[in-house]
Amino acid sequence: MSDLGQLLSDQIRAAFTDLQPLVIRGNNSKAFYGNTITGQDLDVTGHTGIISYEPSELVLTARAGTKLSEIKEVLAQHGQMLAFEPPSFGDATLGGTIACNLSGPRRPYAGAARDFVLGCRIINGKGEILKFGAEVMKNVAGYDVSRLMTGAMGTLGVLLDISLKVLPIQQQRSSLRIEIDAKQALNLFSDWRQKPLPITAACHDGNALTVRLAGSTSALSAAKNKIGGEQLAYSTDFWQQVREHEHDFFKDERPLWRLSIPSASNINIEGDQFIDWGGAQRWLLSKQDAKDIRSIVENAGGHASLFRGNKSDIECFHPLQKNMLTIQQLLKKAFDPQQILNPGKMYNTL
Amino acid sequence: MKNAIDKQKLIRELSAILPNNSLLHKKEDLSPYECDGLSAYRQLPMLVALPRDTTEVQAIISCCNQHHIPVIARGAGTGLSGGALPSENAVLISLAKLNSIIDIDKNNLQATVQPGVRNLAISEAVADLGLYYAPDPSSQIACTIGGNVAENSGGVHCLKYGLTVHNISRIKIITIEGQQLTIGSQAMDAAGYDLLALFTGSEGMLGVIVEITVKLLPMPESTRVMLAAFDDVEVAGTAVSDIIADGIIPAGLEMMDNPAIRAAEDFVKAGYPTDAAAILLCELDGTIEEVTEQTQRVHELLSNRGATEIRIAESEEQRQQFWKGRKAAFPAVGRIAPDYYCMDGTIPRKKLPWILKNITELSDQYQLPVANVFHAGDGNLHPLILYDANIPGELERTEEFGGRILELCVEAGGTITGEHGVGMEKINQMCIQFEDAELEQFHAVKKAFDPHGLLNPGKAVPTLHRCAEFGAMHVHQGKLSHPELERF
């Protein structure tokens, strides 16, 4: 457990002077994600440790290099969890998780990684160590830089410490499986969304719908009666496989696309789909042309990222409108004037 | 700052954009806009524009940008930090006429509305579908959703349901160049940087919001509120931690101290125990089964912690009755003093006894009484300082006292504002919460959107010079802040 903030800041200051692009690296569990870039390695794995954790305050602060597995374990000892259910993809660090804004099956019902970020300490592209937000639930002092950092893939700053809101684990859980097709599943998701049901995950794996419930024993039994279906054995394993992409669906050679679209959308694209997030996140295995996929998804009000199987000639993330790209480029310069932090990782020109 | 164009010429140009009666320039027409909810700060704007649609907003902003005229956006003017305070050389854009609900998407649980739609009007419009919009600032009858986004408004149900930033998915804004930009999407996230989070709570400094897509939630099956009385404020604070440590996240968890209880009881007769040192209001919601189980459990926890009285609302009428006193707390306090000043710091909950003790000491020192209303679940304090603006020097003393409370919040590891925003009011305290490099980073962010500093200038983020001046009055531990800067 050590604070490498100053050391990392010195490295960035030197890179700023030398105009040396840096590639920020944690445990490399998501090396597949985003555009492939080159530069000098900036290793943050040594910057580790839980700095503070107050179960009754529902707040945990940890250094970016801390392993997600360690954080989950400490939280579980106090009956708490990271409610956005982030994937580990092997041995992810907290920093990488927040930098990529990755959330698991509970996302539609609890919120995304960005929703739980309360504050952070970062190093900007000039090597300055800056602190934004705090360890409290409500804070509107200054622009919300902490959430801006979430999902920015390190291109606006190197994450040092992150404060997160944590939540109690609901002890009683149960999963149900209903054998219906994808279209029927989307209709059911839509129907359930409008009702106060204790749902914490809902997906369709191509063959059947699976829904997870959590709450008190009596609430679960009432909800099971309303929903129907068969009780799923080994349900913890099932949701872990979904979260970690270990489910059979993901064992495939085709490029894996992540489609983020309005939950109730019906879209038709050649390939196989795994519907998660109650319809709002669709995993697509397809060899179809990137342009075609993106055009269909964009028409449905969403965006498509090439999650795994990136190729040098395709931007991994959905292209931005020109005026939006311009403003994002200006923002990048505001944090990283020499464009040395993970340049090109998110978009070629950021 | 001197404007590059004279007022008459600007009136002529804007009159060509707007219909009759939509551009105000006479003193008597401007005066309703001289302040927002923080009425201690007043200033007439140069002009007030009342556009009817997005195209008119775009044209006004383009015109102002061309002539380097500052622009200040205003919703219902209920903000409590002077965020919509005009400046004498600025055009104030009131978004009150952009008040249509554009679309309700039941299947995706979203509503798309214009910025002038009132917060409560959204919930009312979707009530028939069994849906509602969760954030509920106490001004929700009057405040507009555009203002809510600009301030990242909270309310009593934030602990469970989050702030505005958690409950919107897309906004459309007009940049200072007059371009429309869509931020976020109707999906659960959008490509690129999270500008939606950056814009939420940005206090009109980065763009003018002209459309908002909010998330809707199904109304909970059951809602129940409990009232617990304590003879010690500290014990009441510990009871809050007991509930949360037990794994229960109440929909609302509010605390009032004795002066606030008495003021509220005198005003609305909510039936509060006026001899209690503090009361807690705990609202639980969810499925019928869940609420029943949690009510029992919370009752046990409160009782074990030494509550002197516990009541459970048995009907909707009674639930409303319990809330009535809390919701009327501000006006109730307004009745017992000529003026009151509402603070908005947030602290880690465990620091509650420490800060209350300090506030009591400061109250004695400044000879100004305080009533405390507290979003206890999420650590957001609203100390209400009672004063009389007609007594010379009392407002200044109140502001100084308020500033000291906010500094204590920063010292406790919290923040100077939980939900009301910085605006004009807390701009000096920003110098305490942030270091120079952090403030400079904020200015760099603003510059990316607003290179000439025309959007709501002078609010939310202080200049380093301002901090230097403030620091000169505020020497900490013998150290002068910003020694590198000139003094004037």
Side-chain angles (χ1 to χ4, degrees):
Chain A
M1 173 162 168
S2 52
D3 183 353
L4 300 187
Q6 198 51 55
L7 187 76
L8 292 165
S9 158
D10 292 344
Q11 284 176 268
I12 294 170
R13 274 177 205 275
F16 174 79
T17 310
D18 303 344
L19 305 182
Q20 170 63 56
L22 297 172
V23 178
I24 309 161
R25 189 175 53 76
N27 277 347
N28 243 351
S29 63
K30 288 176 283 293
F32 61 87
Y33 190 56
N35 298 332
T36 307
I37 54 167
T38 54
Q40 191 180 304
D41 207 42
L42 186 79
D43 182 358
V44 297
T45 48
H47 184 69
T48 57
I50 294 173
I51 299 167
S52 69
Y53 171 41
E54 295 272 352
S56 74
E57 300 278 337
L58 303 176
V59 177
L60 175 137
T61 300
R63 297 197 180 95
T66 316
K67 287 179 186 175
L68 216 46
S69 53
E70 182 190 337
I71 292 172
K72 287 179 184 176
E73 199 183 310
V74 170
L75 289 171
Q77 284 165 9
H78 293 87
Q80 296 185 335
M81 63 175 176
L82 295 174
F84 54 99
E85 212 177 354
S88 285
F89 292 144
D91 210 0
T93 60
L94 176 63
T97 302
I98 298 303
C100 296
N101 189 28
L102 292 184
S103 310
R106 197 184 282 98
R107 190 265 172 262
Y109 313 95
R114 59 89 90 167
D115 293 308
F116 291 89
V117 173
L118 301 175
C120 64
R121 197 163 65 105
I122 64 155
I123 312 174
N124 67 11
K126 293 192 276 184
E128 295 170 328
I129 297 181
L130 309 171
K131 195 168 179 281
F132 300 100
E135 294 185 287
V136 291
M137 298 294 156
K138 285 162 99 176
N139 182 5
V140 292
Y143 303 124
D144 195 343
V145 174
S146 315
R147 287 198 174 88
L148 180 65
M149 290 293 146
T150 314
M153 302 194 75
T155 60
L156 297 178
V158 176
L159 290 165
L160 282 180
D161 314 332
I162 300 141
S163 296
L164 294 169
K165 177 180 179 177
V166 299
L167 282 178
I169 296 171
Q170 291 152 306
Q171 294 302 343
Q172 304 297 323
R173 271 162 295 177
S174 181
S175 292
L176 302 165
R177 190 179 150 88
I178 307 172
E179 300 222 357
I180 49 172
D181 67 24
K183 201 165 176 219
Q184 290 170 306
L186 285 174
N187 288 337
L188 265 185
F189 293 154
S190 197
D191 186 33
W192 292 340
R193 247 194 314 279
Q194 294 164 48
K195 291 177 183 149
L197 291 163
I199 295 176
T200 65
C203 73
H204 187 274
D205 60 12
N207 300 312
L209 174 162
T210 308
V211 57
R212 182 177 64 191
L213 307 166
S216 64
T217 313
S218 52
L220 285 195
S221 89
K224 277 188 214 167
N225 287 336
K226 283 179 200 160
I227 286 173
E230 270 175 63
Q231 182 90 26
L232 182 74
Y234 308 110
S235 65
T236 309
D237 294 351
F238 174 81
W239 292 109
Q240 182 180 315
Q241 286 162 5
V242 174
R243 186 186 74 218
E244 302 295 342
H245 287 187
E246 287 161 356
H247 185 279
D248 284 346
F249 171 87
F250 297 96
K251 292 171 188 157
D252 197 286
E253 292 303 308
R254 287 171 291 177
L256 177 68
W257 289 84
R258 173 182 180 266
L259 318 181
S260 175
I261 53 172
S263 314
S265 312
N266 274 308
I267 47 162
N268 237 324
I269 304 176
E270 193 190 297
D272 294 314
Q273 282 188 47
F274 185 111
I275 303 172
D276 197 2
W277 292 10
Q281 177 171 265
R282 320 266 171 104
W283 296 106
L284 170 74
L285 290 164
S286 174
K287 286 184 172 168
Q288 189 144 347
D289 195 55
K291 253 193 177 154
D292 297 340
I293 293 173
R294 286 185 160 142
S295 146
I296 294 168
V297 173
E298 199 170 306
N299 285 335
H303 60 103
S305 0
L306 181 55
F307 197 82
R308 280 180 206 262
N310 61 356
K311 297 184 204 146
S312 56
D313 57 334
I314 300 172
E315 284 260 25
C316 284
F317 299 102
H318 202 98
L320 301 170
Q321 302 276 348
K322 192 172 173 288
N323 58 356
M324 178 54 94
L325 181 63
T326 305
I327 197 74
Q328 303 219 355
Q329 285 167 330
L330 289 169
L331 206 52
K332 161 85 174 164
K333 279 190 187 146
F335 283 91
D336 179 17
Q338 302 290 16
Q339 302 192 263
I340 53 167
L341 301 176
N342 273 358
K345 184 75 184 165
M346 232 175 137
Y347 289 97
N348 284 329
T349 56
L350 281 187
Chain B
M1 187 165 95
K2 198 176 175 316
N3 289 334
I5 179 176
D6 74 54
K7 183 173 169 180
Q8 293 310 318
K9 187 157 181 267
L10 186 64
I11 291 174
R12 279 197 300 278
E13 287 200 19
L14 290 175
S15 298
I17 296 166
L18 293 162
N20 286 342
N21 304 323
S22 293
L23 186 69
L24 312 178
H25 55 85
K26 292 185 196 139
K27 190 169 180 257
E28 62 270 27
D29 296 332
L30 297 177
S31 62
Y33 298 92
E34 70 177 352
C35 69
D36 58 14
L38 182 70
S39 57
Y41 294 31
R42 289 168 196 268
Q43 170 65 52
L44 287 180
M46 176 168 60
L47 300 171
V48 173
L50 295 149
R52 296 165 303 175
D53 55 34
T54 301
T55 315
E56 288 181 358
V57 176
Q58 275 179 291
I60 296 165
I61 295 178
S62 293
C63 174
C64 289
N65 184 46
Q66 193 191 336
H67 299 300
H68 281 244
I69 302 286
V71 170
I72 299 167
R74 176 186 165 111
T78 57
L80 292 170
S81 58
L85 180 74
S87 62
E88 61 182 340
N89 61 348
V91 172
L92 187 92
I93 302 181
S94 164
L95 294 150
K97 287 185 181 173
L98 275 76
N99 62 353
S100 308
I101 294 178
I102 299 166
D103 179 50
I104 293 169
D105 181 353
K106 183 173 147 234
N107 287 327
N108 287 306
L109 293 191
Q110 288 173 343
T112 298
V113 304
Q114 289 189 311
V117 171
R118 289 175 304 111
N119 172 298
L120 191 60
I122 300 175
S123 290
E124 285 169 352
V126 297
D128 286 350
L129 302 170
L131 305 173
Y132 76 113
Y133 173 64
D136 57 345
S138 55
S139 56
Q140 71 176 151
I141 298 172
C143 65
T144 61
I145 188 71
N148 289 178
V149 177
E151 300 293 329
N152 192 15
S153 304
V156 297
H157 290 105
C158 295
L159 179 64
K160 185 165 179 181
Y161 295 104
L163 300 148
T164 304
V165 70
H166 302 107
N167 287 281
I168 57 172
S169 58
R170 186 181 65 178
I171 55 174
K172 290 184 181 170
I173 64 125
I174 306 300
T175 66
I176 190 63
E177 282 90 20
Q179 282 188 3
Q180 184 170 307
L181 202 60
T182 300
I183 292 172
S185 78
Q186 286 174 289
M188 292 203 176
D189 39 45
Y193 297 138
D194 194 341
L195 297 192
L196 190 63
L198 186 65
F199 256 79
T200 312
S202 64
E203 306 197 20
M205 306 279 287
L206 307 178
V208 174
I209 301 161
V210 289
E211 190 184 298
I212 301 114
T213 299
V214 303
K215 297 178 193 170
L216 303 171
L217 290 176
M219 281 180 204
E221 200 173 53
S222 168
T223 306
R224 204 152 220 212
V225 65
M226 313 169 70
L227 184 158
F230 290 87
D231 53 17
D232 184 301
V233 177
E234 200 171 320
V235 177
T238 315
V240 170
S241 296
D242 290 345
I243 294 169
I244 288 166
D246 200 65
I248 294 168
I249 304 293
L253 191 48
E254 297 287 307
M255 191 196 287
M256 291 163 77
D257 74 355
N258 183 270
I261 296 168
R262 278 187 288 127
E265 186 56 26
D266 281 349
F267 184 32
V268 296
K269 308 276 178 288
Y272 288 173
T274 51
D275 55 345
I279 58 166
L280 285 184
L281 287 169
C282 177
E283 183 159 287
L284 299 161
D285 71 8
T287 59
I288 294 167
E289 302 80 13
E290 213 167 7
V291 172
T292 308
E293 280 181 26
Q294 289 190 349
T295 305
Q296 269 176 11
R297 183 67 191 136
V298 171
H299 193 289
E300 262 173 49
L301 292 167
L302 292 169
S303 168
N304 292 347
R305 189 46 71 184
T308 51
E309 187 188 349
I310 302 169
R311 300 181 204 163
I312 301 173
E314 295 299 340
S315 62
E316 180 56 25
E317 290 72 33
Q318 214 177 356
R319 184 174 88 89
Q320 296 298 345
Q321 183 78 5
F322 281 14
W323 275 117
K324 204 170 157 190
R326 168 62 188 89
K327 289 192 171 168
F330 289 13
V333 167
R335 286 171 76 244
I336 58 172
D339 299 283
Y340 70 88
Y341 196 64
C342 174
M343 308 312 297
D344 173 45
T346 302
I347 52 163
R349 229 181 312 97
K350 63 181 174 188
K351 298 275 188 176
L352 178 67
W354 174 82
I355 204 155
L356 287 177
K357 191 170 140 275
N358 275 284
I359 291 175
T360 309
E361 280 171 21
L362 286 171
S363 169
D364 291 343
Q365 188 186 324
Y366 283 92
Q367 290 291 297
L368 294 164
V370 178
N372 281 295
V373 179
F374 187 36
H375 299 303
D378 40 34
N380 189 196
L381 298 163
H382 291 317
L384 303 164
I385 306 172
L386 312 185
Y387 74 104
D388 183 351
N390 288 321
I391 300 174
E394 198 153 302
L395 171 63
E396 290 71 21
R397 230 167 65 236
T398 303
E399 284 179 318
E400 196 185 311
F401 178 10
R404 295 283 296 276
I405 295 178
L406 299 184
E407 287 158 26
L408 287 172
C409 291
V410 175
E411 201 185 319
T415 170
I416 58 171
T417 176
E419 57 182 1
H420 294 171
V422 174
M424 215 43 229
E425 183 202 22
K426 304 177 201 77
I427 195 129
N428 288 336
Q429 279 71 34
M430 285 290 282
C431 309
I432 291 168
Q433 180 148 358
F434 294 100
E435 302 286 338
D436 290 1
E438 290 152 358
L439 294 172
E440 285 198 86
Q441 186 65 73
F442 287 147
H443 287 300
V445 168
K446 175 159 173 74
K447 216 169 175 181
F449 290 88
D450 179 19
H452 305 295
L454 295 175
L455 290 162
N456 213 5
K459 310 277 175 62
V461 184
T463 60
L464 296 190
H465 275 105
R466 191 187 176 106
C467 288
E469 283 184 64
F470 177 66
M473 298 184 295
H474 233 84
V475 179
H476 283 295
Q477 299 160 346
K479 278 194 296 186
L480 186 68
S481 25
H482 312 281
E484 74 287 6
L485 294 176
E486 284 183 89
R487 309 280 154 181
F488 44 83

